[in-house]
Structure formats: C-alpha cells, structure tokens
Amino acid sequence: MEQKRYDLEKRFLHGGDYNPDQWLDYPEILQKDLELMDKANTNTFSLGIFAWSTLEPEEGVFHFDWLDRVMDNIAQKGGNVILATPSGARPAWLSQKYPEVLRTNGHREKMLHGGRHNHCFSSPIYREKVAIINRKLAERYHDHPALLMWHISNEYSGECHCDLCQENFRLWVKNKYQTLEAVNQAWWGPFWSHTVTDWAQIESPSPIGEMQVHGLNLDWRRFVTDQTIDFYEHEIKDIRSLSPNVPITTNFMADTYDLIPFQSLDYGKFAKHVDIISWDCYPAWHNDWETTADLASKVGFINDLYRSLKQQPFLIMESTPSGVNWHDVNKTKRPGMHLLSSMQFLAHGSDSNLYFQWRKSRGSSEKFHGAVVDHDNDEHNRVFQDVAKVGASLEKIKEIKGKNIDAKVAIIYDWDNNWALNDAQGFGLKSKRYPETLQEHYRYFWDHDISVDVITPDQDLSKYQLVIAPMLYLMTKQTMEKLKVYTKKGGTLVSTYLTGYVNETDLAYLNGWPQELKDLFGIAVKETDTLYPKQKNNLSFAGKNYDVHDYCSIVENQAAEVLATYQDDFYAQSPSVTKHAFGTGEAYYIGARTTGDFLGAFYDQIIDNLDLANPWIEQGHLAVSVQQRGHNHYFVMNFSEESQEIRVASEGIDLLKNAPTSQPIQMAPYEVKVIRTTDG
Ligand code: GLA
Ligand code: ZN
C-alpha cells in the first residue's frame, strides 16, 4: 500500500487555521500571507473550515479556483494543507430553501439561520448537501501535493430535538431494547407513572417535558454521541474511498477554562472513528485564580487523556499564540510562555502546534482573537516573533516527532459515569467534581514527573502497574470483572468513595455494595456521608492527621488491612482507607475526599512499593515539570515565575541550544529545555 504522506512528514506541524476566503478582495494580503508563512517558520494550514458560502455561493454553483490557487501556492513552498469539509457553518441559501436543516432546541424551538455548529444531524437534505460538497472536494484535491489530512467539519457538538431526530432516537432505543417492557425496566418506568406504552411516547429529555428519568437521560447522551459519529461517518464516506491514504480527523474540545474533558460527546467512542486525534486547547495562562503550575498540570491531564484515547501521538489543531476572545478576560501570553506552552503540548505527545488563527479577521466576533498575523500586518511584532521562534525550535527537535509515551500509571475517566454522576440527585449536588477529582489525583504524578495515561474503562489495563479509578459511581459488571482480573494478576488498583452505585442504565445495585467489589476490596461500603461545604472530618494515616471533606464512605471491614481511620463523628475509629491483597495484586480504597496532602503521602508509599519514581530525576522541583517522550528525550519545563534547578541522573544535549546540559540544570522563569540524554 502507498505510504501515507502524513507518515513521511518528518517535521512537527506548525501553522494553523487559514481563512483566505475572507480576503479574496484583498490580493495584496493573500500575497503577503505567503511571504509571512516562511518568516513565521510555519508549514501547515487548515483550509476551508468555514468556506462553504465561498465554495458554493448558490446551490449547485461551485467555485474552487481560489482554493486551487491557495493550495498550489502552499504546495510550492513544500507546505501542507489540512483540508476541511465545510459543514460546521452553512450558507444562508441552504437554510432559507431547506429549513429542515436548522436545529431544534430542547424547548422544541426551531432556530433561525446564523452562528455555526448548529445543523440537524438527521436531516436527509443536510446530509445530501454535505455529501455533494465533500465529494467535490475529495475528487478535486485527493491527490493534490499539499493535501496532508482531512479536517472533518469543526468541533462537532450540540444536539437537535426536531421530529427527524426524535424518530432516530426512537429507532436507536428500539434497536437497543427491542421491547417497550425492556425500556420500562431499564428506565424504571413506573416511577411518577412514566411507563411508556407506545414507541411514539418516547421523547428526548426536555426542560418543558421529561428531565428526571435518568436512564432516558443517559441513553439520550449516548444517542447524541452515536448520531454525531453517524453524521461524521456519512461525511467521510466518499473522502475515504477517493483518498484512502490521507488520514482523517475532526477537532475535539475540552470543557470550560478548567480543561476538563468535553462533556457532551463520548470521545472515547468517537476516537475509534478517527485516524488521528486532534483537538483545540486554550488554557487561560496567567489567570488570577491559580498558579501557573496548577494550570499546567490540568493541561497535562487533558492532553494525556486525548493521547491515551488512541495510545498514539495526537495533534493540537488549535491553540493561540497570544490570547483568545471568549474567556472573560483575554490576556496575552507573557514573554516566554508561548514557547513553553507550545513545547508542553509536544511533551505530552502532540506532533503539532497549530493555531487558531493565522490572520486576525477584519470583522465580526473573532477580529480580536489572537493570531499569528495581527491587523498591523507586521512580522516584527512580539507575537509574530514568538511564533517564529516556536517554529525554529520545532525544527531543532524534529527527531522526537512520532515518538510515543510509555506510561505505567493509568487514571480511568468514563463519559457514561460522568453523565450519570452529574444527573444523580443526591450526595452534594454541587460537590461531585468528578473530572476535577481526577485532576487532583493526576497532580501527584505531574508533580513527580511520572508519565500517566488517562484512559477509558474499555481500554487494556495489562500494561499498567498502577490503575487509579476514582468515583466510578456507574460501574458495569464488566468493569468490575475487568478490575478484578487486573488486580488478581498483580496490578495495583486505587478506588474511592462514590464507587459502584449504579449499573449501565443508571439503576441502583440491589443487595448492598456489589459482591464483586466486596471481594476485590475486602470491605463493604454501608453508607456515604455527605458533608456541608464548611464541615470537615479527618483521618489518621501513617501517624499523621489529614482533613477530609465533601464525602466520607462508612465502611465495614471484611478482609482488608485498615490504613486509616476517621477521627470524628459517629463513625470515628471506623476505616477510611483500606488495602486488600487480591490474587497477586492489591486493591486500595480511599473512603473520603481528601486533600493533596493526603494524596501525596498515600501515593508516596505506592510509588515506593512499585518502584515507579522517575529514575532520571535525582532532585526535582514541583513547578518544574519533566516529561519523557520516547526512550531518551525529556522536556524540562519551568512553570513558575522564578528560577529553579533540578538534578538529573545523566547528562545530555539541550537540543534547543545545541549545548551540553549542566548539572544541576538551571531553569530561568518559564524556561523550557528539550534534552536528549546520551544513554539512548
Ligand atoms: C474554536 C473554533 C475556532 C475558533 C476558536 C476560537 O476552537 O474551532 O473556529 O472559533 O474556537 O478560540
Ligand atoms: Zn434534528
């Protein structure tokens, strides 16, 4: 088989979203872009993401000449194009002529034309129109020398509640449960008399209708993911057959400033349908509510998740060279941060740093969003120079491209669990904080420079020495079995409070904590005490007391070793942290929500037992993150405003400076070094 052009590309990808379609009346700007692309040391551009109205200004009338020219020009300089399908935003004529393509919201209101990312995923007309334009793009460009990859649509998201989507949802439910009886059992129908007796009574959750049937809510979320993937599969059909050797991606997202996993689509499922994961990462650097290291650890976490979904390098499809336009405060990066934050993506497995956007648009809502080229059109400004420096740096470390990360520690994140837990009317409605809790566990490993994979429950566990699975409130019997097998064969498992309550349709387990979990952890969880925000309990662990808050599981010990006990309240002296030998492995249960202090002491012991400490670090520093990529490449990153030093076990070459490293390694504020050690 012909080798993929992507595999032959030995450079890291550097460049970003380029919208020449906004500038066709400004030929001097388009000319200037070509010149600036070289000066910025960029090599890859995503084209046509929102270009539908330029590509097809009237139904059936296509204009590709402008795109031909841009692609030829990029090819001429040896650059790459990531070519988009334009379904993320449709032309006005399409909505006007075919209103069925417009989305209907949960209140059953049909939306007007406008905005973007708001089409109905079921509409046969939208699907047909998308298939036509996608096919034309694939026919015309499948063997274009610049074509590197396909960028399908843009940031798929949202949901539609129109009649067509209701019909598809009913089919989905029917397909899953076969009979109404099974639906009523799974969704606990008789509750509030919500038994359904006709398929037509099944409706998507709505604020003006049903929101309290948790099994329905969960299935609706799964349907939305499946329906979005189905739309994506429809989009790529002809593209795949016309260009079988060109990889296909779609850009994923994170949720909120806190960089928690995207909430409304199960990317664990979606990942199986793309050739390469790409995603859009916008940390709020230099904010006023957390330290730079706090934020850097969250950036590490989410990138490790998106890498681990396919266990292979991924792409940063969008990031900003300065600020964005949609945070409350859109601060620009301080000197040094652009190089540091770009290198951090690579440190966690990215093979690119691509930007939104190449050039600031002149009008509309993104005219002040950070870009490589500002309205001043000048290559001498600070941001442009920072970008050029990143480009030059990527060139110096290109030997790292394609290398993977070998982690012995995994943290489990589960989209189904997140949805079910958020829905749960119980415990603390505002204190569940599932993704944030994973970030807290992750923090220990970030602080100690130990690589972590963040995986979904269906992934292989056998390569990990330590698996951390906090708060798996929804836990299928399959997952229980899998964790048992993993531990039995010698794995170390850590679990916490709020684990093992409901099954895959969000029905509570009967007869107490599931027997599988009792066997595995050697305990029985009897109750969960939920604390008010200002209340605390505390536990004593290895001779020290630690505050606990939000949740305390009350546990009966059956066969475990008690590592810590509560100190207060009616369950004082009862077990709060336990350890159970199971097969040749060990299963730990942390019964209460603890602070970083406790997690530090707890994981110190485990890391020691399993000999998982990073052997290269003789003396680290909490704010200096070291990430290993491949066998002998290390990214050393100072996420603090002060100079720091660390000591390492072997010398190497600082690839950015092309000079031997010193011992100790001195790190200026925000400095990054990429080191190849000589032992590899
Ligand atoms: C998203 C979109 C881009 C752009 C950026 C702005 O990631 O994909 O088109 O709007 O946000 O940050
Ligand atoms: Zn619809």
Side-chain angles (χ1 to χ4, degrees), residues 259-330:
L259 298 170
I260 62 175
F262 190 57
Q263 301 284 287
S264 51
L265 291 173
D266 181 342
Y267 283 159
K269 266 193 194 171
F270 211 148
K272 300 189 171 71
H273 297 258
V274 302
D275 297 321
I276 181 160
I277 302 275
S278 67
W279 86 283
D280 304 341
C281 187
Y282 293 105
W285 294 114
H286 319 291
N287 66 50
D288 64 357
W289 65 87
E290 65 194 336
T291 67
T292 303
D294 291 342
L295 176 55
S297 172
K298 293 174 184 171
V299 176
F301 171 81
I302 185 92
N303 279 287
D304 283 343
L305 169 63
Y306 292 167
R307 181 192 70 251
S308 305
L309 290 177
K310 283 188 100 63
Q311 302 274 336
Q312 69 183 31
F314 60 94
L315 299 178
I316 290 291
M317 188 61 87
E318 295 178 20
S319 63
T320 176
S322 52
V324 292
N325 68 334
W326 50 272
H327 290 174
D328 288 343
V329 174
N330 298 291

Side-chain angles (χ1 to χ4, degrees), residues 89-224:
R90 63 190 172 276
W93 59 258
L94 210 162
S95 308
Q96 186 183 28
K97 184 157 180 204
Y98 306 105
E100 87 165 35
V101 306
L102 298 165
R103 210 170 259 187
T104 298
N105 69 15
H107 284 87
R108 308 305 190 254
E109 295 158 341
K110 198 166 192 60
M111 305 284 96
L112 300 177
H113 178 78
R116 58 173 179 174
H117 304 158
N118 52 12
H119 53 275
C120 166
F121 288 118
S122 301
S123 158
I125 292 171
Y126 201 61
R127 287 183 175 224
E128 183 196 321
K129 294 296 170 198
V130 165
I132 293 170
I133 186 90
N134 289 8
R135 183 167 187 93
K136 291 219 176 265
L137 286 166
E139 281 169 351
R140 195 172 186 98
Y141 299 111
H142 69 274
D143 59 0
H144 192 282
L147 180 67
L148 184 74
M149 190 173 297
W150 290 101
H151 180 300
I152 305 303
S153 201
N154 191 64
E155 296 192 334
Y156 281 119
S157 61
E159 54 195 53
C160 176
H161 299 256
C162 76
D163 291 346
L164 294 165
C165 289
Q166 300 296 344
E167 234 7 85
N168 278 332
F169 180 48
R170 284 175 200 128
L171 279 175
W172 185 96
V173 174
K174 204 167 190 171
N175 195 29
K176 177 167 180 183
Y177 294 104
Q178 307 289 322
T179 66
L180 283 171
E181 205 186 354
V183 175
N184 286 318
Q185 275 167 11
W187 293 356
W188 208 241
F191 173 76
W192 292 357
S193 232
H194 290 181
T195 303
V196 283
T197 52
D198 183 342
W199 293 102
Q201 293 162 6
I202 293 177
E203 274 272 336
S204 59
S206 165
I208 55 166
E210 187 59 84
M211 297 287 275
Q212 314 293 335
V213 176
H214 288 177
L216 163 67
N217 294 349
L218 190 53
D219 277 333
W220 170 252
R221 295 253 56 86
R222 291 169 174 147
F223 164 78
V224 169

Side-chain angles (χ1 to χ4, degrees), residues 11 14-20 23 29-47 69-81 355 357-359 372-373 377 379 384 387-388 391-392:
R11 300 168 294 185
H14 187 226
D17 282 20
Y18 179 35
N19 303 305
W23 299 95
I29 293 274
L30 296 176
Q31 195 49 44
K32 178 87 176 179
D33 282 334
L34 296 171
E35 203 187 295
L36 292 178
M37 284 170 182
D38 294 332
K39 293 188 172 157
N41 299 316
T42 49
N43 56 37
T44 300
F45 298 90
S46 309
L47 282 175
R69 278 198 303 278
V70 177
M71 293 202 40
D72 291 350
N73 286 334
I74 292 175
Q76 234 178 28
K77 37 167 92 259
N80 302 310
V81 167
Y355 308 114
Q357 50 192 338
W358 166 253
R359 178 184 281 280
V372 180
V373 185
N377 210 15
E379 77 252 33
F384 190 98
V387 168

Side-chain angles (χ1 to χ4, degrees), residues 231-251:
F231 189 88
Y232 160 89
E233 284 290 343
H234 171 80
E235 281 216 38
I236 70 170
K237 215 160 135 249
D238 289 341
I239 289 174
R240 182 70 89 199
S241 65
L242 286 161
S243 59
N245 296 311
V246 181
I248 299 179
T249 189
T250 182
N251 47 340

Side-chain angles (χ1 to χ4, degrees), residues 260-540:
I260 62 175
F262 190 57
Q263 301 284 287
S264 51
L265 291 173
D266 181 342
Y267 283 159
K269 266 193 194 171
F270 211 148
K272 300 189 171 71
H273 297 258
V274 302
D275 297 321
I276 181 160
I277 302 275
S278 67
W279 86 283
D280 304 341
C281 187
Y282 293 105
W285 294 114
H286 319 291
N287 66 50
D288 64 357
W289 65 87
E290 65 194 336
T291 67
T292 303
D294 291 342
L295 176 55
S297 172
K298 293 174 184 171
V299 176
F301 171 81
I302 185 92
N303 279 287
D304 283 343
L305 169 63
Y306 292 167
R307 181 192 70 251
S308 305
L309 290 177
K310 283 188 100 63
Q311 302 274 336
Q312 69 183 31
F314 60 94
L315 299 178
I316 290 291
M317 188 61 87
E318 295 178 20
S319 63
T320 176
S322 52
V324 292
N325 68 334
W326 50 272
H327 290 174
D328 288 343
V329 174
N330 298 291
K331 198 176 173 86
T332 198
K333 291 180 188 172
R334 311 288 93 183
M337 181 50 86
H338 184 51
L339 180 64
L340 174 65
S341 57
S342 301
M343 289 295 161
Q344 190 192 16
F345 294 141
L346 270 63
H348 289 270
S350 174
D351 273 346
S352 70
N353 192 21
L354 298 166
Y355 308 114
F356 180 86
Q357 50 192 338
W358 166 253
R359 178 184 281 280
K360 275 186 186 171
S361 66
R362 187 166 184 201
S364 298
S365 61
E366 288 180 335
K367 60 179 172 296
F368 299 121
H369 190 293
V372 180
V373 185
D374 209 327
H375 297 134
D376 64 6
N377 210 15
D378 180 18
E379 77 252 33
H380 302 293
N381 72 44
R382 190 177 69 92
V383 171
F384 190 98
Q385 286 305 317
D386 275 358
V387 168
K389 186 171 178 192
V390 166
S393 306
L394 294 178
E395 215 25 53
K396 294 179 188 158
I397 61 167
K398 62 183 176 197
E399 64 195 54
I400 302 174
K401 180 174 182 261
K403 289 190 190 294
N404 216 336
I405 288 170
D406 184 24
K408 296 278 171 254
V409 179
I411 298 181
I412 296 184
Y413 177 76
D414 182 18
W415 267 270
D416 272 353
N417 176 57
N418 185 53
W419 292 328
L421 194 54
N422 281 341
D423 237 7
Q425 298 273 105
F427 313 107
L429 297 189
K430 297 205 180 108
S431 63
K432 290 181 197 132
R433 303 181 67 253
Y434 169 56
E436 292 82 357
T437 302
L438 300 197
Q439 289 174 334
E440 285 161 15
H441 284 255
Y442 176 89
R443 181 62 184 269
Y444 174 89
F445 300 89
W446 189 87
D447 280 347
H448 292 83
D449 309 314
I450 298 169
S451 301
V452 173
D453 283 352
V454 184
I455 61 171
T456 50
D458 59 325
Q459 287 184 256
D460 178 25
L461 301 181
S462 61
K463 69 171 192 168
Y464 303 111
Q465 281 176 261
L466 174 60
V467 170
I468 301 166
M471 297 178 75
L472 283 182
Y473 158 84
L474 180 155
M475 203 194 245
T476 63
K477 291 272 171 173
Q478 231 175 343
T479 301
M480 291 178 197
E481 202 42 49
K482 186 167 178 168
L483 294 176
K484 280 178 80 172
V485 170
Y486 164 75
T487 311
K488 198 173 212 156
K489 289 190 172 157
T492 298
L493 173 69
V494 176
S495 172
T496 69
Y497 54 93
L498 291 187
T499 287
Y501 278 78
V502 299
N503 71 7
E504 66 278 5
T505 65
D506 212 343
L507 291 177
Y509 282 114
L510 297 180
N511 305 317
W513 213 43
Q515 189 59 45
E516 292 84 347
L517 298 181
K518 288 182 188 155
D519 294 344
L520 176 55
F521 292 98
I523 56 172
V525 176
K526 304 304 259 183
E527 270 187 79
T528 299
D529 190 19
T530 304
L531 279 56
Y532 281 91
K534 290 182 190 153
Q535 295 175 338
K536 287 191 169 96
N537 200 316
N538 66 96
L539 55 80
S540 76

